[in-house]
Amino acid sequence: MISLDSHPSGRHFLQIPGPTNVPDRVLRAIDRPTIDHRGPEFAALGKAVIAGMKKIFRTEADVVIYPASGTGACEAALVNTLSPGDRLLMAETGQFATLWKRIAERLGLVVEFLPGDWRHAADCAAIAERLERDREHALKAVCIVHNDTSTGLVSDIAGIRRVIEGAGHPALFLVDTVSSLACIDYRHDEWGVDVTVSGSQKGLMLPAGLSFNAISGKAIAAAKNTRLARSYWDWGEMLPINASGYFPYTPATNLLYGLHEALEMLFAEGLEHVFARHDRLAEATRRAVRGWGLELLCAEDSQHSSALTAVLMPEGHSADALRKVVLEQFNMSLGQGLGKVTGKVFRIGHLGYFNELMLCGTLCGVEMGLPLARVPHRKGGAQAALDYLVQTAKRGVAEAAWRDK
């Protein structure tokens, strides 16, 4: 006899910080017959998605698309711009900064890792001090994770560019936006970034499988003289053929269909509205957490992520035990703690294809799970979020309803 418990009714709430929920219209776009990736129809698709991604990165520079996860794009940024033994400066903002450091070290690069407590974003003053001491310009790149998915910390990319310039340092500036692109305001050109890294499975509302590099002219010039081994990731192979809409190897055609549809959705909403939506839902989430009497992992108000919220558990209580209760009782997945905060935090993803009612269901699921997991808390966190969402609802809708009475 089949247990009914193995077939829960209703939809599964996927509230991890990625991969995120994929819109039905994107799924339908992916579910099309594959076309000839050397034919004219594909060339039109290739040109369209590359042009669209330039708008997302806010750049006039080159953008390449890899059939890979964000990790592949992180490696591509390093192998194209650096040589064996080169020194880089990185900041410890969480697990994903740590993983980028690990990739660099495995490639034979030397990493200076500015220590962090996983509660504060990259320290502009510490970066400035280190660059000012580097009179010989031994540091060849500064690598920063914009939004570290493990901690919900957002670093000041424009501020870091200012300190690089203030120190008069020629280092390349590499930034990971895997969990911030199309969620949080980001400006590749304006902020003077040389290589921006991203992936498809977060704000772009796609399955994992596409990754991106946005590349400045300075980075392309550097790539001509660097000596790290590269083949699959080589910009020199990608850029000439990309200009005609094609790829030097078999592309992920059906994911590119989905990317085209996702870009249409983002541009129809308008990027400024996309960012404002994420900001608003993130603030509602933080109000819920404070209403429960729980602590946010991010310790600085100016550094909170609009893509996810990491919540610290009270001493002696397991985040994984709470996540297990919420999954088993309410069919909802919350993000686990990673690295140094394993078991100590749970993460609420509120990015990508996400709206007010989805957030309300998410927060109610957490609030129901807290007493079942015997976590000390106050009631009313979800209500605090609802009150904020009502207060910040579009005024035109409320005024029209009032006039109709």
Side-chain angles (χ1 to χ4, degrees), residues 45-248:
L45 173 64
K47 289 179 180 178
V49 293
I50 291 171
M53 287 306 302
K54 289 185 178 184
K55 293 180 182 178
I56 296 292
F57 282 110
R58 294 184 171 185
T59 186
E60 298 296 324
D62 289 301
V63 172
V64 298
I65 303 174
Y66 296 104
S69 69
T71 303
C74 286
E75 180 167 334
L78 297 174
V79 298
N80 280 284
T81 58
L82 298 161
S83 296
D86 278 354
R87 302 186 72 87
L88 353 167
L89 186 65
M90 293 183 163
E92 184 186 8
T93 53
Q95 181 69 1
F96 289 91
T98 304
L99 292 175
W100 205 6
K101 170 181 177 285
R102 188 181 304 168
I103 293 169
E105 290 173 336
R106 288 175 174 173
L107 291 171
L109 301 167
V110 179
V111 179
E112 294 188 25
F113 205 38
L114 294 173
D117 62 1
W118 291 42
R119 302 199 67 183
H120 295 83
D123 186 338
C124 289
I127 294 170
E129 189 276 334
R130 180 64 189 92
L131 292 176
E132 287 165 2
R133 284 193 292 109
D134 184 27
R135 303 297 184 189
E136 302 300 319
H137 296 162
L139 292 167
K140 301 304 181 185
V142 177
C143 304
I144 301 293
V145 177
H146 182 212
N147 179 83
D148 200 303
T149 325
S150 65
T151 52
L153 300 175
V154 177
S155 293
D156 181 2
I157 301 304
I160 294 170
R161 165 46 71 188
R162 287 193 294 271
V163 303
I164 295 172
E165 291 179 352
H169 204 289
L172 292 165
F173 191 20
L174 279 55
V175 178
D176 172 349
T177 66
V178 170
S179 61
S180 58
L181 193 71
C183 302
I184 301 170
D185 189 13
Y186 185 79
R187 308 176 187 192
H188 177 90
D189 286 359
E190 183 179 330
W191 294 347
V193 181
D194 291 303
V195 187
T196 301
V197 169
S198 202
S200 59
Q201 74 273 22
K202 312 246 183 199
L204 292 172
M205 306 179 291
L206 289 162
L210 295 178
S211 64
F212 311 89
N213 281 174
I215 314 162
S216 75
K218 179 180 175 181
I220 290 175
K224 295 177 181 178
N225 300 304
T226 54
R227 293 177 285 102
L228 276 176
R230 57 187 183 267
S231 176
Y232 184 84
W233 308 117
D234 191 358
W235 295 338
E237 292 290 322
M238 291 286 280
L239 291 172
I241 196 168
N242 276 175
S244 57
Y246 298 109
F247 289 72

Side-chain angles (χ1 to χ4, degrees), residues 396-405:
V397 173
E399 290 165 2
W402 176 258
R403 285 196 300 270
D404 289 342
K405 286 187 178 181

Side-chain angles (χ1 to χ4, degrees), residues 200-378:
S200 59
Q201 74 273 22
K202 312 246 183 199
L204 292 172
M205 306 179 291
L206 289 162
L210 295 178
S211 64
F212 311 89
N213 281 174
I215 314 162
S216 75
K218 179 180 175 181
I220 290 175
K224 295 177 181 178
N225 300 304
T226 54
R227 293 177 285 102
L228 276 176
R230 57 187 183 267
S231 176
Y232 184 84
W233 308 117
D234 191 358
W235 295 338
E237 292 290 322
M238 291 286 280
L239 291 172
I241 196 168
N242 276 175
S244 57
Y246 298 109
F247 289 72
Y249 37 66
T250 307
T253 305
N254 289 64
L255 283 178
L256 294 175
Y257 289 151
L259 175 60
H260 188 275
E261 191 70 18
L263 291 171
E264 290 289 316
M265 293 176 68
L266 290 166
F267 297 143
E269 184 175 357
L271 286 180
E272 295 301 333
H273 293 288
V274 171
F275 302 147
R277 169 168 57 85
H278 281 80
D279 291 344
R280 180 166 171 263
L281 298 179
E283 175 60 26
T285 303
R286 293 192 291 269
R287 291 185 180 218
V289 174
R290 294 184 181 115
W292 294 321
L294 300 179
E295 189 176 358
L296 297 161
L297 181 62
C298 178
E300 295 290 338
D301 286 346
S302 63
Q303 298 172 357
H304 285 305
S305 171
S306 290
L308 70 128
T309 298
V311 185
L312 272 170
M313 293 293 284
E315 191 68 32
H317 292 268
S318 167
D320 291 338
L322 171 64
R323 292 175 51 252
K324 184 173 185 290
V325 166
V326 170
L327 177 61
E328 291 178 348
Q329 294 293 326
F330 308 118
N331 195 24
M332 181 169 75
S333 295
L334 297 169
Q336 69 183 92
L338 300 171
K340 291 183 180 180
V341 293
T342 298
K344 298 177 182 179
V345 306
F346 66 92
R347 295 174 298 148
I348 301 171
H350 37 72
L351 68 162
Y353 188 56
F354 197 70
N355 63 21
E356 291 88 345
L357 291 182
M358 295 166 76
L359 178 63
C360 292
T362 301
L363 297 177
C364 286
V366 175
E367 186 152 337
M368 290 188 292
L370 290 168
L372 291 174
R374 299 183 179 179
V375 177
H377 70 288
R378 296 193 300 262

Side-chain angles (χ1 to χ4, degrees), residues 8-23:
S9 63
R11 55 157 285 191
H12 174 67
F13 267 63
L14 180 70
Q15 302 315 141
I16 62 175
T20 60
N21 298 287
V22 180

